Amino acid sequence: MDWRIINDLDYNHYMQEYKINALLAKVFAYKQYSSQEIETMLSSRLVYHDFSLFSEAEMTLERIHEAIGNKEKICIYGDYDCDGICATAILCKAFEACQIEYGFYIPKRIEEGYGLHVDVLEKALLKGYRNIITVDNGVRSIEAMKFVKDHQMRLIISDHHTFEMDQIDCDCLIHPFLADDTFHNCCGAGMALQIARCLIPDNKEIVALAALATIADSMPVTRENRNIIRNGIEYLNEGCMPALHALKNKPQDTFNIKMMSYTIIPKINSMGRLSDRVNVNNAVRYLLLKDQNAILNVARQINKINDLRKEMSGEMEKIANGEIKNVPFEIIASHDFHEGIVGLVASKMASAHHRPFLVLSELENEYKGSMRSVEGFDLIRFFSDFDGFERFGGHAQAAGVTIKKENLEALKNYIDTHEMIYEENKILECEYALEQAFSIQTVMEYMELAPFGNGFEEILFYIQNIQIRDKISLANGKYYKVISTSGIEYLFFHSSLIPLIQDGMNIIGKVSLNDYRGQLHICIVVEDVIMENMYVQ
């Protein structure tokens, strides 16, 4: 990795203006935050922005209240990932509190696929639903929009995916791009939350669900998302949403971005991935449960589904590893691959082998699968001239594909004959710091800036000349903890860095606090070891 060390920051005025410590002031100077952003981060309670900042907010609420007044039923139509499931549950909670007669539906990932489907609308119409509201989908459902219009139904679309304005034909559209820019990074559940808060403004559960979904969709931890995640995590740790507490691995686990990403979110997503084994609509029903015995019973079932998902993905990874051809872009196809899990396998393979992977599930006449890339290689750009996909969509690092069997050779030939262009390696920046800059108090104040995540990453610090007091093997030598003479703990989780541990080493890492038996310790997770002193700008 190439690093650039920053040490020429003018941070004194931050200390004086905001009455903060030098470490925090250097962070603000390094990130170049505006005064408004700093005041928001230092605020003890974040304030949500108003729904009226959406261009069609008033019209949307009028439609909902009109349905309430006329005692009309509303159908909530969601999506099968964590964002869509949480978004559906958010509106269910709001409508139930307002005594609105409602129903909801989430399509089966494998059998039906993404988006609003005409056949489901036909069934809804027969059941007396004339009002449809989508969450986390809808902007690309052109045929469904036409069906709604032809049958004099009403359609509110709330979505966050990209769209063409001239293709939208609905009564109301709630979308981040049609609002103040503070909402521009919100996910589908973030949109559902804005609607629901107008109906049940002081409900902590809907904020917690929106926080979970925002983390699940890896949305930037900035602007309104920061409000949602920070307050949502606080509410969860206060004890709201027993259904989410029941999905923790250990009762004492604390809710935070990392725990939710590795524990709660995969369990909810497993319900959507294995749509041939379980009804994903039950995930929404689970989030609506109030009876603790029922919650614990269903949580056990969800854990079993997630265990099955892990077992299946592990078996698929073994097959994939046996099929590797050591080419720059790997394509692995098998009829043993489950369509709902190929994305997880592609991600694992790309990460482990440091090159792009396409993992395909073989069906009767076609392949369905997912591709994952590595830093610097843009999938969308690379395949822009290939017209052999039946379906292709996603972003630079991840995409879903459907391709006819007869076109697979053409795809392989395209990859072989087109240059794979990688962007130049990014030069990563880090902040210069001395060990003396870290105290329990300064790090505690720095940690109060949490949550950290996409778009609001933790600061990387460059620390020179570490003198080792103790070196401790963890997990039978898989990891190491080094304690410096100043008492700071350095954790080495990357096996390639362990041989570089020595007196006087220079490291780059992320700082946090470790609470061990009620005693706080400064802990730095090491990202890199630099053998020589680097030039400090």
Side-chain angles (χ1 to χ4, degrees), residues 6-19:
I6 307 297
N7 192 38
D8 57 352
L9 301 171
D10 177 15
Y11 60 89
N12 286 321
H13 72 281
Y14 288 94
M15 293 177 64
Q16 296 167 6
E17 183 173 351
Y18 299 104
K19 305 294 187 290

Side-chain angles (χ1 to χ4, degrees), residues 26 99 108 127 143 398:
K26 290 183 80 172
Q99 298 183 318
K108 302 178 183 68
K127 292 181 179 180
E143 288 184 31

Side-chain angles (χ1 to χ4, degrees), residues 481-534:
K481 176 167 71 174
V482 167
I483 303 176
S484 73
T485 53
S486 63
I488 293 178
E489 298 177 354
Y490 295 87
L491 295 179
F492 289 77
F493 292 124
H494 301 295
S495 58
S496 61
L497 300 180
I498 292 173
L500 304 179
I501 298 173
Q502 59 181 298
D503 244 352
M505 64 183 170
N506 313 303
I507 69 95
I508 291 171
K510 299 174 181 176
V511 65
S512 63
L513 290 175
N514 180 29
D515 187 348
Y516 181 68
R517 294 181 178 176
Q519 187 79 29
L520 288 175
H521 301 273
I522 299 168
C523 174
I524 295 178
V525 177
V526 179
E527 299 291 328
D528 204 356
V529 174
I530 312 299
M531 300 307 294
E532 298 179 0
N533 284 346
M534 295 178 66

Side-chain angles (χ1 to χ4, degrees), residues 57-253:
E58 185 176 349
M59 194 187 311
T60 298
L61 293 176
E62 283 179 3
R63 291 283 184 269
I64 292 173
H65 285 297
E66 189 176 336
I68 296 172
N70 294 334
K71 301 189 183 306
E72 296 173 353
K73 297 195 291 186
I74 302 177
C75 178
I76 307 161
Y77 193 100
D79 184 33
Y80 43 68
D81 67 358
C82 186
D83 185 15
I85 291 167
C86 289
T88 304
I90 286 169
L91 285 192
C92 288
K93 286 180 178 291
F95 289 175
E96 184 176 329
C98 296
Q99 298 183 318
I100 300 171
E101 189 175 356
Y102 74 92
F104 65 87
Y105 186 76
I106 293 179
K108 302 178 183 68
R109 182 188 195 117
I110 297 172
E111 296 87 341
E112 297 174 286
Y114 175 78
L116 185 60
H117 298 287
V118 170
D119 60 335
V120 178
L121 291 174
E122 289 174 340
K123 293 174 184 176
L125 191 59
L126 289 174
K127 292 181 179 180
Y129 290 98
R130 305 201 66 85
N131 298 280
I132 310 294
I133 181 166
T134 72
V135 289
D136 195 31
N137 80 96
V139 292
R140 300 173 191 166
S141 304
I142 310 303
E143 288 184 31
M145 292 183 211
K146 185 177 185 303
F147 178 90
V148 167
K149 189 170 185 179
D150 290 345
H151 291 80
Q152 289 81 52
M153 301 170 77
R154 285 183 170 170
L155 176 62
I156 298 171
I157 293 177
S158 71
D159 199 355
H160 71 120
H161 297 97
T162 55
F163 67 97
E164 299 292 334
M165 197 67 203
D166 59 357
Q167 295 182 340
I168 302 295
D169 189 4
C170 62
D171 291 88
C172 309
L173 175 60
I174 299 301
H175 194 282
F177 296 167
L178 302 180
D180 183 270
D181 62 4
T182 191
F183 295 102
H184 281 189
N185 291 322
C186 285
C187 65
M191 295 297 92
L193 175 66
Q194 307 311 318
I195 298 170
R197 283 181 54 246
C198 296
L199 303 173
I200 47 172
D202 299 318
N203 187 286
K204 293 183 176 182
E205 292 187 347
I206 61 174
V207 179
L209 287 169
L212 183 71
T214 304
I215 296 166
D217 254 26
S218 298
M219 306 308 291
V221 188
T222 57
R223 300 180 179 178
E224 187 72 357
N225 286 345
R226 182 169 175 77
N227 299 344
I228 293 170
I229 293 174
R230 188 170 172 181
N231 282 336
I233 288 175
E234 180 183 328
Y235 297 154
L236 283 168
N237 284 317
E238 287 176 356
C240 88
M241 285 299 297
L244 294 182
H245 280 264
L247 293 179
K248 295 193 295 187
N249 287 341
K250 299 175 183 176
Q252 67 269 27
D253 287 347

